[in-house]
Amino acid sequence: MVITLGEALVVGIPASPVGLDRAGSVRLSVGGSELNFAIGLARLNVDCAWIGRLGEDPFGGMVRDVLEHEGVRTDWVTSDLRRPTGVYFREWLDDGLRRPYYYRHGSAATGLSVSDWPDDALGQARWLHVSGITPALGKAPRELVERAVSRARQEGLEVSVDPNFRAPLWSALEARSVLEPIVRASTVLLLAEEDSRLLFGTVDPELAARRAHDSGAATVVVKLGAAGAYASRGAESLHLPAAATGRVVDPVGAGDGFDAGFVAGLLRRGDLRSALTLGNYVGARAVEEPTEHPYPTVQELPPELQDMLAAPPSGLTCVRPGA
């Protein structure tokens, strides 16, 4: 099982590419970096649990329904009786602008704390995934992420970290000081170019990977958008071009989809080429639709990727029963 934890948000997106002030209606979906990651994994038949807090409100019920429909475990989701589920609205415009408007202050996710960490989940897990968005929500969520990473490493789990730096949430100085020890504790580091610049002072993928290895990460990925992705582990390194896409409609969620594909590829095949290939494909599919997680199921993958996932390594226990 893969465990992830973080913020869930209900998202309102106009039904057509117009500004919110001219939208006659909005389509509701659910989002949040770690939640998107969990859904991406579940669609690839990887057993995954999402840990979080939801308001005792219709939006919280909507998030639970989506997670359960997607096959993501909700055993360790807490209902917060005092705080609402966070929401945000996002414009989808033909000129490429994606303007988000967040209403997350005082949300249930901001109440996350070490009390939400379930040690009993560790016996069922082999992987923990966290992002830099959760520690940006406040001191208590930050302590939860630090606790989760520490306990996962103590128990020998793989720990993937996507720094996911978001300037509206905190300053570069604060983000760097908080994220550096979390990054040092990771075994798999999944960097966007802005993360690479923030943490390692460069957008050169090979240099960033060397510096990340020096900080302790065994496997390092630098996501390069339309240029594909670069990965490095031990003596092995390679760059793969991006998967072909149709029209790029909305890039939101592509990084989370890449993370899900990459982790699934490592779990199922173990090698960087397979992981990068699957990560690039899932990430590419995410840009073609204006939704939070338009990620493919195994049945929707090209035949060569289905074949790649058909025979998991001996002893793998993270595949969903009945998948």
Side-chain angles (χ1 to χ4, degrees):
M1 180 176 67
V2 176
I3 300 174
T4 188
L5 58 91
E7 178 184 38
L9 294 162
V10 168
V11 189
I13 306 173
S16 59
V18 298
L20 283 166
D21 55 340
R22 290 178 288 126
S25 62
V26 296
R27 175 180 47 78
L28 295 180
S29 181
V30 302
S33 178
E34 299 88 350
L35 183 144
N36 292 342
F37 170 83
I39 289 174
L41 273 185
R43 291 186 181 177
L44 296 173
N45 289 343
V46 176
D47 186 16
C48 189
W50 178 80
I51 297 169
R53 278 183 173 258
L54 300 172
E56 192 66 38
D57 52 30
F59 287 153
M62 179 181 176
V63 174
R64 282 185 183 271
D65 288 347
V66 168
L67 289 171
E68 290 169 3
H69 172 76
E70 294 287 350
V72 177
R73 295 195 193 193
T74 58
D75 308 53
W76 301 286
V77 175
T78 301
S79 293
D80 193 313
L81 301 179
R82 297 186 297 115
R83 302 177 182 90
T85 307
V87 300
Y88 86 99
F89 296 88
R90 180 160 57 80
E91 292 179 325
W92 163 43
L93 304 177
D94 277 336
D95 60 7
L97 288 176
R98 302 292 184 268
R99 289 192 292 261
Y101 300 88
Y102 290 94
Y103 301 89
R104 55 158 54 111
H105 180 72
S107 70
T110 65
L112 284 165
S113 71
V114 293
S115 65
D116 292 296
W117 175 250
D119 264 347
D120 61 305
L122 291 176
Q124 306 174 48
R126 65 177 291 179
W127 197 293
L128 170 73
H129 176 80
V130 298
S131 91
I133 291 178
T134 307
L137 299 178
K139 182 175 183 290
R142 182 178 310 166
E143 291 172 346
L144 169 61
V145 172
E146 292 167 348
R147 165 74 175 177
V149 170
S150 174
R151 290 291 295 122
R153 288 304 305 271
Q154 289 171 17
E155 295 298 319
L157 275 65
E158 297 285 348
V159 175
S160 55
V161 175
D162 184 337
N164 225 333
F165 174 60
R166 296 291 182 267
L169 286 176
W170 51 358
S171 70
L173 183 63
E174 183 184 11
R176 191 180 302 110
S177 68
V178 171
L179 292 174
E180 282 180 344
I182 296 172
V183 165
R184 285 196 297 271
S186 69
T187 60
V188 177
L189 182 58
L190 300 156
L191 298 165
E193 289 184 284
E194 56 266 39
D195 304 324
S196 178
R197 183 184 295 109
L198 172 78
L199 294 166
F200 302 110
T202 182
V203 294
D204 178 87
E206 294 186 27
L207 178 57
R210 287 200 299 271
R211 292 176 177 174
H213 287 312
D214 289 343
S215 77
T219 301
V220 181
V221 178
V222 183
K223 296 174 276 187
L224 303 170
Y230 173 87
S232 174
R233 180 178 61 184
E236 181 186 10
S237 64
L238 73 159
H239 169 263
L240 289 185
T245 63
R247 179 178 176 227
V248 177
V249 174
D250 188 353
V252 174
D256 304 323
F258 176 93
D259 292 353
F262 186 84
V263 169
L266 276 189
L267 283 167
R268 300 291 284 270
R269 303 300 300 174
D271 65 287
L272 289 185
R273 181 170 294 276
S274 295
L276 276 182
T277 300
L278 188 57
N280 277 343
Y281 185 84
V282 177
R285 298 287 71 77
V287 307
E288 296 175 339
E289 298 179 41
T291 61
E292 292 303 299
H293 30 73
Y295 308 135
T297 64
V298 170
Q299 293 72 30
E300 293 167 336
L301 295 174
E304 63 272 17
L305 292 183
Q306 291 188 37
D307 291 345
M308 185 180 80
L309 296 177
S314 175
L316 181 66
T317 59
C318 66
V319 180
R320 283 190 293 167

Short mmCIF file of all heavy atoms in Angstrom, two decimals, residues 14 18-24 91 93 99 101:
data_model
loop_
_atom_site.label_atom_id
_atom_site.label_comp_id
_atom_site.label_asym_id
_atom_site.label_seq_id
_atom_site.Cartn_x
_atom_site.Cartn_y
_atom_site.Cartn_z
N PRO A 14 -15.42 27.05 -14.49
CA PRO A 14 -16.46 27.40 -15.46
C PRO A 14 -16.63 26.31 -16.51
O PRO A 14 -15.68 25.63 -16.90
CB PRO A 14 -15.94 28.70 -16.09
CG PRO A 14 -15.05 29.29 -15.05
CD PRO A 14 -14.40 28.11 -14.37
N VAL A 18 -14.14 31.00 -19.91
CA VAL A 18 -14.44 32.42 -19.66
C VAL A 18 -13.98 32.77 -18.25
O VAL A 18 -13.73 31.89 -17.42
CB VAL A 18 -15.94 32.72 -19.82
CG1 VAL A 18 -16.41 32.42 -21.23
CG2 VAL A 18 -16.76 31.91 -18.80
N GLY A 19 -13.89 34.07 -17.96
CA GLY A 19 -13.58 34.50 -16.61
C GLY A 19 -14.71 34.17 -15.66
O GLY A 19 -15.87 34.03 -16.08
N LEU A 20 -14.39 34.03 -14.39
CA LEU A 20 -15.41 33.68 -13.40
C LEU A 20 -16.52 34.73 -13.33
O LEU A 20 -17.67 34.40 -13.02
CB LEU A 20 -14.76 33.50 -12.03
CG LEU A 20 -14.00 32.19 -11.84
CD1 LEU A 20 -13.11 32.26 -10.61
CD2 LEU A 20 -14.98 31.01 -11.72
N ASP A 21 -16.18 35.99 -13.61
CA ASP A 21 -17.20 37.02 -13.55
C ASP A 21 -18.21 36.92 -14.69
O ASP A 21 -19.26 37.55 -14.65
CB ASP A 21 -16.54 38.41 -13.56
CG ASP A 21 -15.62 38.62 -14.75
OD1 ASP A 21 -15.18 37.62 -15.35
OD2 ASP A 21 -15.34 39.79 -15.07
N ARG A 22 -17.90 36.10 -15.69
CA ARG A 22 -18.82 35.91 -16.82
C ARG A 22 -19.32 34.48 -16.93
O ARG A 22 -19.98 34.12 -17.91
CB ARG A 22 -18.13 36.34 -18.13
CG ARG A 22 -17.91 37.85 -18.21
CD ARG A 22 -17.18 38.24 -19.49
NE ARG A 22 -15.77 37.83 -19.44
CZ ARG A 22 -15.18 37.08 -20.36
NH1 ARG A 22 -15.87 36.64 -21.39
NH2 ARG A 22 -13.90 36.79 -20.27
N ALA A 23 -18.99 33.66 -15.92
CA ALA A 23 -19.40 32.26 -15.96
C ALA A 23 -20.84 32.13 -15.46
O ALA A 23 -21.17 32.53 -14.34
CB ALA A 23 -18.47 31.41 -15.10
N GLY A 24 -21.68 31.57 -16.30
CA GLY A 24 -23.05 31.36 -15.86
C GLY A 24 -23.18 30.19 -14.90
O GLY A 24 -24.13 30.11 -14.12
N GLU A 91 -10.19 29.70 -13.11
CA GLU A 91 -10.57 30.08 -14.46
C GLU A 91 -9.84 29.21 -15.48
O GLU A 91 -8.69 28.82 -15.28
CB GLU A 91 -10.25 31.55 -14.69
CG GLU A 91 -11.13 32.47 -13.87
CD GLU A 91 -10.80 33.93 -14.08
OE1 GLU A 91 -9.61 34.25 -14.27
OE2 GLU A 91 -11.73 34.75 -14.04
N LEU A 93 -9.03 29.64 -19.37
CA LEU A 93 -9.08 30.66 -20.41
C LEU A 93 -8.32 30.24 -21.65
O LEU A 93 -7.30 29.55 -21.58
CB LEU A 93 -8.51 31.99 -19.88
CG LEU A 93 -9.17 32.53 -18.61
CD1 LEU A 93 -8.47 33.80 -18.16
CD2 LEU A 93 -10.65 32.79 -18.84
N ARG A 99 -6.07 31.29 -13.61
CA ARG A 99 -6.07 32.10 -12.39
C ARG A 99 -6.87 31.38 -11.31
O ARG A 99 -8.09 31.25 -11.43
CB ARG A 99 -6.65 33.48 -12.66
CG ARG A 99 -5.74 34.37 -13.48
CD ARG A 99 -6.23 35.81 -13.46
NE ARG A 99 -7.49 35.94 -14.19
CZ ARG A 99 -7.59 36.38 -15.46
NH1 ARG A 99 -6.50 36.71 -16.13
NH2 ARG A 99 -8.76 36.50 -16.04
N TYR A 101 -8.42 31.03 -7.39
CA TYR A 101 -8.86 31.86 -6.27
C TYR A 101 -9.19 30.91 -5.12
O TYR A 101 -10.18 30.17 -5.17
CB TYR A 101 -10.09 32.70 -6.66
CG TYR A 101 -9.81 33.63 -7.82
CD1 TYR A 101 -10.00 33.20 -9.13
CD2 TYR A 101 -9.35 34.92 -7.60
CE1 TYR A 101 -9.74 34.04 -10.20
CE2 TYR A 101 -9.08 35.77 -8.67
CZ TYR A 101 -9.28 35.33 -9.96
OH TYR A 101 -9.01 36.16 -11.02
#
